[in-house]
Amino acid sequence: MHDDRRLIEGRLGRVLDRIKPAVYPESTPMRVSIWEAPGEPVPVAEGLAAPRTPTSPGTPWGAPWGTSWLTVEGTVPPEWAGRTVEAIIDLGFDANQTGFQCEGLVYRPDGTPVKGLHPRNQWVRIAAPARGGEQVLFHVEAASNPIIPFFGPTGLGDLATAGADPQYRLGRMDLVVFDDDVWQLVQDLEVLGELMHEMPEDPARRYDIVRAIERAIDAIDLQDVNAGAGAARACLTGVLARPAVPSAHLISAVGHAHIDTAWLWPLRETVRKVARTTANMAALLDAEPDFIYTMSQAAQYDFLKQHRPEVYARVKQAVAEGRFVPAGGMWVESDTNMPGSEAMARQFVHGKRFFLEEFGIENEEAWLPDTFGFAAGLPQIIKAAGSKWLLTQKISWSQTNTFPHHTFLWEGIDGTRIFTHFPPVDTYNCSMQGREIAHAAKNFKEKGRANRSLAPTGWGDGGGGTTREMIARAARLRDLEGSPKVTWERPADFFAAAEAEYANPAVWVGELYLELHRATLTSQAKTKQGNRRSEHLLREAELWAATATVRTDFEYPAADLDRLWKTVLLHQFHDILPGSSITWVHREAEATYARVAAELAAIIERAQWALGGERSGSHVFNPAPHAWRGVPAGGAGPVVPGRGTTVTERPDGGFALANDRTRVEVDARGLVVSLYDLGQRRETLPPGAAANLLQLHQDYPNSWDAWDVDQFYRNTVTDLTEVDFLVAESGATTDAVVRVGRSFGSSTVEQVLTLRPDTGALEIATTVDWHETEKFLKLAFPLDIHADRYASETQFGHLYRPTHTNTSWEYAKFEACNHRFIHLAEPGWGVALVNDSTYGHDLTRAVRPDGGTTITVRASLLRAPRFPDPQTDHGAHHFRHALLPGASITDAVRSGYRINLPPVTPGVAEPVAPLFTVDNDDVVTSAVKLAEDGSGDVVVRLYEAGGGRATALLTPDFEYTGYRRCDLLERPLPEENVTESADEGIRLRLRPFQLVTLRFTR
């Protein structure tokens, strides 16, 4: 028989183009009128009541970021009685820009929300069956969000530069007859056609589908599609009814709309995106009994509760029915590399509390499909929050290495293991296309050991969610020969089944590093500094407020702290903190962080006044977890004076700084050419090398400007060695100080190098007035040290990375994350680089001709990408670093806290005893606070920071009747051999990096 298969396969595509318009065989235009709201969005009642001006399809509308209120009206023709009638409302959509352009929310005249509108969802059901003569009237809140062009500089990302030109033209505004037979035929043909193309060419099944499609097409008169749709469908019944093979891969579909809490739109627009999407999904749940929808990010539910209560009521009802499923248990889908220990913990505390209080639901999964890699401290935090599973997808974007698992156990720095799944469908916006479903089955790495995966299904990033077409596809794929089996399922049900079928999963130890988007550790420095400063101010505010409440009649500001924590957590979303959002988002974030800092400073000041009496005296507050110059950790006391330092001129230019621990030499270029550890009689820098070296690189990645730095950026570098000025304070002083100024390009930099009497660390304060474009600024420290690995601080501990690039996995980590410190060591001697606000760094290793090893650590300071914010980082920035020779890991931890939590001066009149003391510096207090439930109980959280087993005596200095070990939500945990009562307090016995939360009843 002649093989005409390819002819039939090609025929299908063209015939579908003729069939699809027949879904709406009859139409009649609706009347349209419009009101353009001035400025920001208005309340619904105001939008509904505003006067309208008649308009029509083809009319331009919508300035960037504007809101227009449309009214559409019509009458169902008498001859349509008994048929299914819908309204088509096209705001000027581009089908390829779902979630990234104009959108709408449809209301009834009484203000009841109906559903959202987007390019793949332009219909509103009127009636089935309809009544002839029925009057139709809807209002549409239409958002003219501009399409942000990718990878080019644009002013559309901010109101101040977006202009006022209309962005869209109104499209079709019609009442239409909906022909369900034709619509179902389209779904049949598309599912079979896509399945056919994914099958091998030889099997009989593919030919069966080809012949069935041929018969179906032949049954249709293309000049009267509607008349033949039923007959065409009958030709496909047999091939659609054949069941999947017993061993077919099992796909758990869950409706989903990953909505970026901010990205190419501001936070205020996300509030409306969430309302539009959830209104759509609530309507779809009503219409489709098998459908399950999930949404993460407690903050987005809170958006609805605060701003769209009428939509929230529908969501809450659907949650109660078990079909709208809150997932993830976090406040937002945050970045996980940069948030500090407590902030990462509070993402779960506030997220899970919201779901428990609002819905009575306890999440056991973390849901982070789009986050840019995962810090090695996260598994312990997930477990400590009462969860046990993790879903993500983004690791499939890695450029160099293919991750070897889809379902596995992820082990963190303390040994905690979390059952983890990467959907092999390789998207968190699955649309149930045949290529996606086939790819999931082929791609699944655990074949032969496990047989199920999850597919988050729906338009996402900018929202939209699942469509009726996706649900129809899933119904046909439920049990279809040649395809995986698809079933709608809740995330928890999927995880329980996946865990049950896979007895001994593979284990991945350490961070889940994304080999992409590395520049997110540096872009938008002010956002990152605002986050770091806010985290430490929150720690201080809780510490001093709790201490003042226990010691005095101070009222603990629980509501304010709750609100401020949620504000900071919101801005840790994975496109805000990483610096990958439009100008509007980061401008707004900077202002928000300033308000947060002012509020927290006021709380801290009030608590300290309550504790220390008058705001004058010799008693200084120490918010850090380690004692400092005689001032106890978490208390206030007098500072023990230091012995002073000296600064002298060098014969060949520059200055020498010295105290009794360290001698520093700064040459005439303002570079550090010697950092000598007097106690160990050891030089820190390699021969002939210079530290504190600013280096400038060209930085133009292949794509994803704000997100990416590609390794070729290292090919060209300019060392900034020219000096505008170099001055020092002379003679014996409390601090030895050298100031150096430079200029380059359109920018200037001033650095202050300080050696204090109480530490061996050289402190470097760098102020940059930055006005470069597509450049990358680094601060380099070459070190004379032989080490095959180095430590970077992460949540509740540190992880080790290699200093070499033996493998492609090591080679790919050319830019990595640290929190407050990096530490390198040989046996008996180490060096630490600490910082107050930077995260990105790189490290290179070389062997010198003399046989010694040089390891160069470089802190990443600033970038200048042009997309999506063309003015990224332009302006003044301030950074603080310190280089500490002779440092142990404990010294690195202590110094990292010290630079981020400096003592408060001037002091107060009275000393303040800490609520808790700990007698081992390796056991670090990360939080002292009052319990979240308002009981007045005191909560302390501690962790082992050195990476070894530790014993410590925790001594509370207040009356208490008992204590319990708790999870992060401050709920009692089963007893574990971690604490034992002692006469002086509580004896702790901790494993490496173990996290412990204790709750004391006063």
Side-chain angles (χ1 to χ4, degrees):
M1 183 176 179
H2 297 296
D3 185 0
D4 62 351
R5 174 178 52 79
R6 295 186 188 279
L7 185 67
I8 306 306
E9 291 175 352
R11 182 185 177 194
L12 174 61
R14 189 163 194 216
V15 169
L16 273 170
D17 289 341
R18 182 66 64 84
I19 294 173
K20 288 178 181 179
V23 170
Y24 299 120
E26 299 178 55
S27 66
T28 184
M30 292 188 290
R31 300 181 301 279
V32 188
S33 55
I34 190 170
W35 174 70
E36 296 192 4
E40 286 296 277
V42 300
V44 172
E46 183 178 343
L48 294 175
R52 305 289 199 263
T53 301
T55 187
S56 60
T59 303
W61 72 280
W65 307 113
T67 300
S68 296
W69 283 84
L70 300 169
T71 297
V72 294
E73 305 172 75
T75 304
V76 176
E79 62 270 23
W80 291 3
R83 303 172 76 178
T84 299
V85 176
E86 294 184 343
I88 297 296
I89 303 174
D90 180 359
L91 300 178
F93 294 127
D94 178 344
N96 297 315
Q97 295 287 344
T98 302
F100 295 89
Q101 58 167 237
C102 56
E103 299 172 36
L105 182 56
V106 179
Y107 294 88
R108 294 187 179 92
D110 65 358
T112 304
V114 179
K115 67 187 296 285
L117 298 173
H118 62 74
R120 304 281 182 153
N121 205 329
Q122 304 177 26
W123 57 273
V124 182
R125 178 64 56 89
I126 304 301
R131 292 180 290 106
E134 181 175 347
Q135 298 300 305
V136 176
L137 190 152
F138 291 120
H139 301 289
V140 181
E141 181 187 19
S144 49
N145 302 331
I147 298 173
I148 305 293
F150 269 69
F151 307 134
T154 176
L156 288 171
D158 196 20
L159 272 175
T161 56
D165 293 339
Q167 299 294 292
Y168 301 100
R169 289 181 181 273
L170 292 178
R172 185 180 185 184
M173 300 281 177
D174 291 342
L175 287 176
V176 296
V177 171
F178 175 79
D179 189 326
D180 186 66
D181 271 349
V182 176
W183 186 85
Q184 298 288 356
L185 175 61
V186 171
Q187 312 316 311
D188 292 343
L189 289 171
E190 288 191 335
V191 166
L192 287 171
E194 291 168 2
L195 174 63
M196 174 180 66
H197 282 291
E198 294 302 324
M199 298 179 71
E201 294 197 355
D202 297 330
R205 172 64 168 165
R206 181 158 181 168
Y207 283 86
D208 289 344
I209 294 173
V210 168
R211 295 307 163 199
I213 289 173
E214 182 180 33
R215 290 191 296 273
I217 293 173
D218 288 342
I220 299 172
D221 179 352
L222 294 182
Q223 278 68 50
D224 190 4
V225 170
N226 301 87
R233 291 200 71 202
C235 297
L236 302 173
T237 302
V239 289
L240 284 169
R242 294 185 60 175
V245 298
S247 61
H249 184 67
L250 306 176
I251 293 180
S252 297
V254 58
H256 186 240
H258 169 68
I259 302 178
D260 285 312
T261 300
W263 180 25
L264 302 181
W265 46 86
L267 283 166
R268 69 90 152 139
E269 193 55 34
T270 307
V271 173
R272 302 201 297 175
K273 282 179 174 286
V274 172
R276 292 187 283 259
T277 297
T278 53
N280 243 352
M281 296 303 97
L284 204 53
L285 287 166
D286 289 341
E288 301 290 346
D290 294 334
F291 179 48
I292 299 291
Y293 182 75
T294 194
M295 187 171 90
S296 68
Q297 307 193 73
Q300 294 190 0
Y301 289 83
D302 196 44
F303 288 166
L304 287 178
K305 182 179 178 182
Q306 300 299 326
H307 301 282
R308 287 289 194 269
E310 68 282 8
V311 180
Y312 187 62
R314 295 176 66 186
V315 168
K316 205 163 184 180
Q317 177 61 37
V319 171
E321 294 166 357
R323 299 181 58 215
F324 193 117
V325 183
M330 296 175 69
W331 192 245
V332 295
E333 290 180 12
S334 72
D335 180 80
T336 75
N337 285 311
M338 291 176 282
S341 304
E342 274 302 309
M344 199 74 255
R346 304 301 176 92
Q347 285 287 352
F348 288 91
V349 169
H350 287 283
K352 296 194 79 169
R353 279 183 56 210
F354 185 92
F355 288 157
L356 282 164
E357 292 170 2
E358 290 291 316
F359 309 124
I361 288 175
E362 169 99 20
N363 295 102
E364 292 190 296
E365 76 289 331
W367 185 273
L368 292 163
D370 190 31
T371 296
F372 309 151
F374 298 88
L378 188 57
Q380 179 175 206
I381 296 171
I382 293 173
K383 181 179 179 182
S387 298
K388 59 183 180 181
W389 300 315
L390 169 66
L391 178 134
T392 186
Q393 184 274 318
K394 199 71 168 191
I395 299 298
S396 68
W397 286 39
S398 285
Q399 290 178 314
T400 305
N401 299 283
T402 300
F403 197 80
H405 315 297
H406 283 112
T407 303
F408 62 101
L409 293 176
W410 178 29
E411 181 177 319
I413 55 174
D414 72 312
T416 297
R417 291 180 173 181
I418 295 295
F419 188 82
T420 302
H421 181 66
F422 292 168
V425 71
D426 277 350
T427 177
Y428 47 82
N429 296 324
C430 176
S431 58
M432 282 290 137
Q433 292 185 338
R435 60 178 176 78
E436 295 172 328
I437 301 306
H439 176 72
K442 294 173 186 175
N443 189 38
F444 187 55
K445 301 271 192 311
E446 276 62 53
K447 287 190 285 283
R449 294 181 175 87
N451 194 39
R452 65 179 66 233
S453 66
L454 189 143
T457 302
W459 295 104
D461 290 323
T466 317
T467 64
R468 62 185 178 185
E469 288 79 13
M470 296 174 192
I471 292 175
R473 289 168 175 268
R476 288 156 174 79
L477 297 171
R478 177 183 291 274
D479 192 7
L480 182 62
E481 184 185 359
S483 170
K485 296 180 180 180
V486 176
T487 305
W488 294 106
E489 196 164 35
R490 297 171 184 84
D493 294 336
F494 160 76
F495 272 109
E499 200 170 27
E501 78 168 1
Y502 197 4
N504 294 294
V507 178
W508 182 270
V509 178
E511 66 184 327
L512 294 171
Y513 179 92
L514 177 62
E515 296 171 357
L516 191 74
H517 293 358
R518 303 167 181 89
T520 57
L521 302 172
T522 305
S523 297
Q524 298 288 1
K526 286 191 186 331
T527 299
K528 292 170 171 58
Q529 289 177 324
N531 175 72
R532 178 76 72 86
R533 183 64 179 137
S534 296
E535 288 179 351
H536 288 86
L537 284 170
L538 281 161
R539 171 200 171 93
E540 281 200 68
E542 288 183 337
L543 169 65
W544 302 129
T547 306
T549 302
V550 173
R551 298 263 192 266
T552 73
D553 60 357
F554 185 83
E555 183 177 352
Y556 191 74
D560 289 335
L561 290 170
D562 179 81
R563 173 177 51 81
L564 292 165
W565 262 117
K566 288 173 179 174
T567 300
V568 173
L569 298 177
L570 178 69
H571 287 78
Q572 291 179 339
F573 178 74
H574 65 252
D575 274 310
I576 303 179
L577 180 54
S580 47
S581 289
I582 56 174
T583 309
W584 189 340
V585 173
H586 292 289
R587 171 178 52 77
E588 197 172 61
E590 185 178 349
T592 299
Y593 283 130
R595 290 194 299 271
V596 168
E599 283 197 60
L600 289 170
I603 292 171
I604 290 167
E605 185 175 65
R606 290 198 305 270
Q608 289 176 341
W609 279 351
L611 286 164
E614 296 179 10
R615 192 71 167 165
S616 62
S618 61
H619 301 285
V620 172
F621 284 93
N622 175 16
H626 305 95
W628 171 79
R629 293 178 66 176
V631 184
V639 177
V640 175
R643 295 180 58 186
T645 58
T646 61
V647 56
T648 57
E649 292 191 23
R650 299 173 72 238
D652 53 352
F655 301 93
L657 299 79
N659 62 16
D660 59 357
R661 297 173 62 179
T662 304
R663 185 180 70 243
V664 182
E665 300 211 15
V666 181
D667 71 5
R669 301 170 298 172
L671 302 179
V672 177
V673 292
S674 175
L675 182 65
Y676 193 78
D677 181 348
L678 294 168
Q680 295 292 319
R681 298 183 179 180
R682 169 158 179 170
E683 176 58 57
T684 306
L685 308 185
N692 187 41
L693 174 64
L694 289 162
Q695 295 183 303
L696 192 66
H697 295 269
Q698 182 70 45
D699 181 23
Y700 188 61
N702 286 347
S703 60
W704 298 107
D705 297 32
W707 293 257
D708 284 358
V709 57
D710 291 324
Q711 197 163 37
F712 54 72
Y713 87 94
R714 289 177 172 173
N715 294 350
T716 57
V717 60
T718 300
D719 292 345
L720 304 180
T721 59
E722 297 297 319
V723 177
D724 293 341
F725 63 83
L726 181 67
V727 296
E729 295 180 3
S730 60
T733 62
T734 303
D735 299 330
V737 177
V738 171
R739 290 181 170 82
V740 56
R742 308 182 193 279
S743 55
F744 59 93
S746 301
S747 305
T748 60
V749 59
E750 180 177 346
Q751 291 183 295
V752 179
L753 283 62
T754 305
L755 187 65
R756 303 188 190 278
D758 58 305
T759 175
L762 173 65
E763 297 180 13
I764 302 166
T766 303
T767 299
V768 186
D769 189 12
W770 178 250
H771 296 283
E772 304 306 303
T773 298
E774 295 166 354
K775 294 290 193 292
F776 197 2
L777 184 65
K778 295 258 187 177
L779 182 60
F781 299 91
L783 306 171
D784 185 9
I785 194 165
H786 183 77
D788 63 358
R789 66 177 189 169
Y790 72 103
S792 293
E793 189 184 34
T794 189
Q795 292 101 1
F796 297 113
H798 56 267
L799 76 153
Y800 287 99
R801 298 187 183 99
T803 61
H804 52 75
T805 55
N806 284 355
T807 70
S808 59
W809 296 87
E810 294 155 355
Y811 169 82
K813 294 184 181 182
F814 59 83
E815 184 81 5
C817 183
N818 65 279
H819 285 189
R820 287 169 292 231
F821 72 79
I822 291 168
H823 181 261
L824 293 107
E826 296 174 357
W829 192 85
V831 60
L833 177 66
V834 301
N835 73 84
D836 77 336
S837 59
T838 58
Y839 295 93
H841 70 273
D842 75 297
L843 185 146
T844 53
R845 182 177 183 272
V847 176
R848 306 188 300 272
D850 66 2
T853 300
T854 296
I855 294 177
T856 300
V857 178
R858 300 195 305 163
S860 303
L861 301 187
L862 292 165
R863 298 185 67 237
R866 303 184 72 197
F867 173 79
D869 177 3
Q871 296 297 314
T872 301
D873 281 334
H874 283 210
H877 302 272
H878 308 278
F879 307 97
R880 294 178 65 219
H881 292 81
L883 192 63
L884 180 60
S888 64
I889 280 283
T890 304
D891 294 327
V893 173
R894 188 187 296 112
S895 297
Y897 273 106
R898 174 62 50 222
I899 200 171
N900 284 274
L901 288 165
V904 177
T905 55
V908 291
E910 302 295 332
V912 177
L915 286 183
F916 298 94
T917 58
V918 184
D919 69 351
N920 183 344
D921 276 1
D922 281 337
V923 177
V924 174
T925 303
S926 71
V928 175
K929 59 189 288 292
L930 295 194
E932 298 286 332
D933 62 7
S935 63
D937 290 358
V938 180
V939 174
V940 60
R941 190 153 29 249
L942 310 100
Y943 68 102
E944 196 288 317
R949 293 185 180 270
T951 300
L953 182 67
L954 174 70
T955 306
D957 188 18
F958 58 91
E959 296 294 326
Y960 63 96
T961 59
Y963 71 91
R964 290 292 303 272
R965 181 168 173 257
C966 298
D967 68 5
L968 291 178
L969 275 70
E970 300 165 5
R971 302 172 298 193
L973 286 172
E975 291 301 322
E976 182 185 345
N977 188 22
V978 172
T979 67
E980 61 184 47
S981 295
D983 291 340
E984 306 90 341
I986 298 153
R987 182 68 60 185
L988 301 171
R989 302 184 188 279
L990 303 181
R991 299 186 304 273
F993 302 128
Q994 186 174 7
L995 167 66
V996 173
T997 303
L998 300 176
R999 176 172 178 157
F1000 292 80
T1001 302
R1002 284 196 286 152

